[in-house]
Amino acid sequence: MRPDDLPALHHTEHGPADGTPVLAIHGWTPDHRLMTGCCEPVFAARPRPYRRLYPDLPGMGRSSGAGVASSDDVLSCVEAYVDEQLGDSPFLLVGESYGGYLARALTARRAGQVRGLALICPVGRAVEQADRTVPRHQVLVKEIEVEPGSEFAEIAVVQTADTFERTEREVVVGVELADAEALARIRRRWVLKDDPEGGPAYEGPTLIVTGRQDSSTGYVDSWALLEHYPRATFAVLDTAGHNAQIERPELFGSLMNDWLDRVDHVGASSSA
């Protein structure tokens, strides 16, 4: 049940209602379009039907941030969304950046319900920016001129017309909708009360994708998560920053498909 003082989440949905459920949680300040942009090309091409759920987190996209004042409140909204949309049905879980932090926490609470977990450039063991081990920002592919000081200029490792257009379409458009006051409240109580890795290890098929040149969350602090996820594939993508799915789309798609194949294999084995 959602606490009465917390808002419901706006969401979009793709695929058949009876497909395998997938919940995809975006990162800090964008909206669901970040996740539809990276996930839809993968899931739409799979032979198995999937029901893909893409919510906007509180204070982001079209979801209200009223009454939300911490990451724990955000997580409560996500849990209520799962209860409303999925009940106790098993589902696959994908989280990007801050959404990866929330996805790990949700998995800790519902390990028996989460059939597989994929983390894309997640916030790792060091939650606060000042505590993270990250490389300096550098541009490795530059084919276009970009506005100095823009978000794209500050984080993009691959600066091409295609990566710029995808970033505008999938990331920037959501950032422009964010409720700054709500985000400021949440940011003051940013760290979750319970450590996502504070309990038993998660035994389901897991994927952790990081960017070798990611100057936002890096890869070192995500490597520190590995022992908690014994069925994890851990990938560090060269020529990739915090939007690794945009800068290395083919490799990202291959890794996601491998993860989904592993999830399917576990499902087939358990039903045999």
Side-chain angles (χ1 to χ4, degrees):
M1 295 293 291
R2 183 175 65 255
D4 291 339
D5 58 343
L6 294 179
L9 301 183
H10 169 266
H11 78 282
T12 62
E13 181 173 333
H14 296 267
D18 60 351
T20 299
V22 182
L23 172 61
I25 307 175
H26 65 80
W28 184 250
T29 69
D31 66 6
H32 69 275
R33 280 169 283 201
L34 187 153
M35 301 309 290
T36 57
C38 73
C39 292
E40 279 304 291
V42 175
F43 286 105
R46 298 280 298 182
R48 172 194 291 272
Y50 294 87
R51 179 192 178 202
R52 289 94 69 188
L53 299 171
Y54 300 101
D56 290 340
L57 292 175
M60 299 170 237
R62 292 175 58 189
S63 289
S64 170
V68 179
S70 67
S71 287
D72 285 295
D73 286 347
V74 174
L75 182 59
S76 292
C77 290
V78 173
E79 279 216 272
Y81 177 83
V82 171
D83 289 338
E84 292 162 1
Q85 295 293 328
L86 299 172
D88 59 1
S89 298
F91 64 96
L92 280 62
L93 182 57
V94 185
E96 188 270 347
S97 192
Y98 176 69
Y101 182 41
L102 297 174
R104 287 158 43 208
L106 187 61
T107 300
R109 295 186 179 188
R110 299 180 180 235
Q113 193 175 358
V114 177
R115 292 183 55 215
L117 173 66
L119 305 174
I120 305 166
C121 299
V123 170
R125 289 296 297 169
V127 181
E128 295 286 2
Q129 180 76 44
D131 299 329
R132 298 174 190 169
T133 300
V134 298
R136 65 177 178 83
H137 176 250
Q138 57 181 313
V139 179
L140 297 182
V141 179
K142 186 173 180 61
E143 297 180 359
I144 60 172
E145 294 300 320
V146 300
E147 180 183 352
S150 66
E151 181 167 343
F152 183 78
E154 294 296 320
I155 69 170
V157 172
V158 178
Q159 298 186 355
T160 66
D162 183 61
T163 60
F164 177 78
E165 290 167 5
R166 281 195 62 182
T167 302
E168 289 288 308
R169 183 172 67 247
E170 299 171 20
V171 180
V172 175
V173 68
V175 172
E176 292 174 345
L177 296 177
D179 180 341
E181 291 186 7
L183 268 56
R185 287 197 307 273
I186 298 166
R187 195 65 185 84
R188 286 193 288 270
R189 297 169 64 192
W190 175 254
V191 178
L192 291 165
K193 178 180 62 177
D194 297 323
D195 179 358
E197 284 73 45
Y202 173 67
E203 301 284 346
T206 302
L207 171 64
I208 305 173
V209 178
T210 65
R212 181 65 177 82
Q213 290 80 29
D214 183 346
S215 58
S216 296
T217 56
Y219 61 91
V220 173
D221 298 322
S222 291
W223 176 258
L225 301 172
L226 200 58
E227 292 307 310
H228 191 79
Y229 302 95
R231 291 291 316 281
T233 291
F234 187 95
V236 185
L237 280 54
D238 181 45
T239 320
H242 195 53
N243 289 323
Q245 77 280 4
I246 291 176
E247 296 179 326
R248 299 296 306 276
E250 293 82 9
L251 182 51
F252 171 76
S254 295
L255 290 164
M256 286 287 286
N257 276 301
D258 173 79
W259 170 64
L260 291 168
D261 288 344
R262 290 188 286 126
V263 172
D264 285 349
H265 179 74
V266 169
S269 298
S270 63
S271 62

